[in-house]
Amino acid sequence: MRGSNVQMDVKLRPQRPWNNCNAFVTYKNSKRLFRAALRKAFDEFESSTARRLEKEIDIDQKHAWTILNRRKKKSSGCMSLKKDGILYTDSDDICDIWYEHFCTVFSPTNYKDCNRQNEISEKVKAIRNSATKDTSANWITFEFSEVHDICNKLKCNKACGHDDIAYEHLRFGGKLLMKHLCYLFNLILQYAYVPKEWHKSMIILLYKGDNKSRTDTNSYRGISLVPSITKVFEKLTDIKLSSIRTDFPNGQQVAYQKLLSSLNASFNLQEVTLHHIEKNGTIYIVLLDSTKAFDTVPHDGLRLKLHEYGAHGKLWLLLDSMYTNLYGAVSSNGKLSKWFELKRGIRQGSSLSAKLYLIFINDLINELESSKEGAFFHDLNASSPVQADDIAIIATNCVSTQRMVTISKSKLLQFGKRRTSTPTYLYQEPINYVTSARHIGIQLDTSLKTMDRTLKACRTLRSTTTSVIRLGIHPAIVNPIVCAKIIRQLCYPKALYGCELWGKLTCTEILMLERTHHYICKFIQGLPRRTRSDMCVSLLGWLSIESFICERKLLFFGRTCRLPYSAVSFRILLRRLIDARYNQYDTRSGFACDIIEILTKYGLSKYLDQFLNDGQFPSSAIWKSVVKTSIYQVEVVKWHHRMAVDPDFVVFKDIHSFCVPHAAWRVALRHPLMRRQAHFVTSTCCLIRENLQNNRILCDKCGKLF
């Protein structure tokens, strides 16, 4: 009865009056058609973008990555700042806060010892007076060929300074413009005078990341945008500075050095630590990271270091003029703050900043090395691996550590069996002992446990893959082959950063990484989660993630073997290899022991024997080809053996017998409209049938049993 009343109420309910309005009906129909056309246009745009991406990923990767970068979510910048507990959102207030912040950062350096400050000032005055009379550097000139080469190598689409002159103006301005630039640069060098506009720089803000508060001014790094002509001039000056000394920088420094990277600094630290642990010794590591290292360099101290470096005469006067009366203004949310004076600091973003900072800090590294207080690797002093301003001090006792520590913001780690509670002091304040810390982006643990590192790698791999797919390279839009290539180039290196220095992984760690690897393979191809992992990986043409890590280790091994003999990483590797090869009881862990097992596993031991016997090693291109070929051959043999012994692969091995992308995906790459059919074919290939005679499956397309 109640149901009939409801039906009667529905029938008696009056119709909406605007349904009979022709204008309203026309509006609704037009709106419906517009939305349908909008969805169609969006789908066509996504499809055309996907086709361009699929077409150019193997032809012009630079253009393909440009398409991807445009689809990334742009940072909104600094929209609010907190000061004294009050949150400010007005753009003018934010500019004022940044103005006050950088005025404080670039305020003059005050030494604790006033006599020291006066002494440095007097030395700088004496150097300035002698430089005006010195003619030893008058031979330095800039040649047209140097200006021409630098201008032709300038990259396009780079930010310009406050003068709005871009690199494109200089690169495509012609030889006449380059001749005028060469003449201008030589005049500047001759009179040691830098134009006033070159002293100005526009500071942009870069968020440091690591989930730091976006309302804190210390969570941002100021990058100076100097005029493009100034950058060209600084590149030329950098060349002249590099030609003064050949023994610069210290061998412990790996930043801004050809053939070296941050991995070399971590490699030096870890191998020295493991060497002493294997000898039942105790190692103390102090990680030093100067707060705002580039922004707090005193100008007089830099001038003094430049003179000690070997810059004399007109060259020193030129550098002195470049860092006199500097001014900057912060650009935030499209507004420019008031101009303020930079009374200290090196302008990050200029072409000369890296060289100047290395010159300023080089004497500190020399002092640490010459103190003889740090840890030795046999006869090699490897006590202070340095990556720019990240300094690690390695010592075998607390007393040596105390004598070497001279910088703030430190962490102390103790490796080995013997634990001590002896405090280490820095500026009369004790340094806290920690059990784990990050060094150049790589986690160090005093217990030598690696499970947390592996878990983090798995989480990072999943999250980065999800974020990249959200950019518009979902397998429903882009061919899985292209999607897999992008994820392999973008997500895996980020998640597995530092895997070159991972020791031998446990079975549990390998299993965790492989599960994440298999999940991504299924996600890319749109296959169910319970699909056999071996099938999914082979349909995409991928190998195991363990082979990917081994490949990275072998390539890093090749880069280290090709370093010059004077490089610290080369000398450490050579000693570790000799210990692992001929003193097997001394070396039980570390990179050397692991790389020997990997070389043996993939049949590459002859290259190690050749390197140890006569020091010869293949070139980068040859070694990369050899590594990829050897790994592929070994992994394919393992895959075929897996298919031969597992009854689930009875049908699959007849359909897909090679570890290459499935033919259906390759056809869909040439014919994008067949992607849905290709997905059906690949998903059908993954079906498991135990008994072909009694266990038939009904096809949902044709309705037949097979």
Side-chain angles (χ1 to χ4, degrees), residues 154-168:
L154 296 177
K155 297 181 180 180
C156 299
N157 300 321
K158 293 294 182 180
C160 55
H162 60 278
D163 59 351
D164 293 332
I165 297 178
Y167 275 165
E168 288 82 351

Side-chain angles (χ1 to χ4, degrees), residues 19-37:
N19 286 343
N20 297 326
C21 179
N22 294 330
F24 180 78
V25 173
T26 304
Y27 160 73
K28 294 295 289 184
N29 292 334
S30 301
K31 184 178 179 181
R32 190 179 300 108
L33 293 175
F34 171 75
R35 287 184 174 179

Side-chain angles (χ1 to χ4, degrees), residues 8 23 75 82 202 221 224 248 255 270 303 438 464:
M8 291 177 62
S75 176
K82 186 177 290 186
M202 189 168 57
R221 179 178 288 107
S224 299
F248 177 85
Q270 294 187 37
R303 295 183 179 101
R438 292 177 66 85
T464 52

Side-chain angles (χ1 to χ4, degrees), residues 117 167 201 286 320 344 359 392 533 684:
Q117 186 172 357
Y167 275 165
S201 60
V286 180
D320 178 33
R344 67 173 179 179
I359 292 174
S533 299
T684 305

Side-chain angles (χ1 to χ4, degrees), residues 275-333:
H275 170 73
H276 284 273
I277 292 176
E278 291 166 359
K279 300 292 184 181
N280 293 323
T282 303
I283 281 290
Y284 298 87
I285 299 177
V286 180
L287 302 179
L288 308 176
D289 187 5
S290 303
T291 304
K292 300 185 182 300
F294 280 75
D295 297 336
T296 56
V297 173
H299 288 170
D300 280 347
L302 178 61
R303 295 183 179 101
L304 186 61
K305 294 297 181 182
L306 284 169
H307 184 266
E308 295 175 355
Y309 172 78
H312 302 297
K314 292 291 182 64
L315 183 58
W316 188 91
L317 290 174
L318 175 66
L319 296 170
D320 178 33
S321 176
M322 291 177 65
Y323 273 83
T324 302
N325 298 327
L326 294 178
Y327 289 89
V330 182
S331 175
S332 177
N333 299 324

Side-chain angles (χ1 to χ4, degrees), residues 145-159:
S145 58
E146 296 175 334
V147 179
H148 183 267
D149 292 341
I150 290 178
C151 289
N152 283 338
K153 294 178 181 178
L154 296 177
K155 297 181 180 180
C156 299
N157 300 321
K158 293 294 182 180

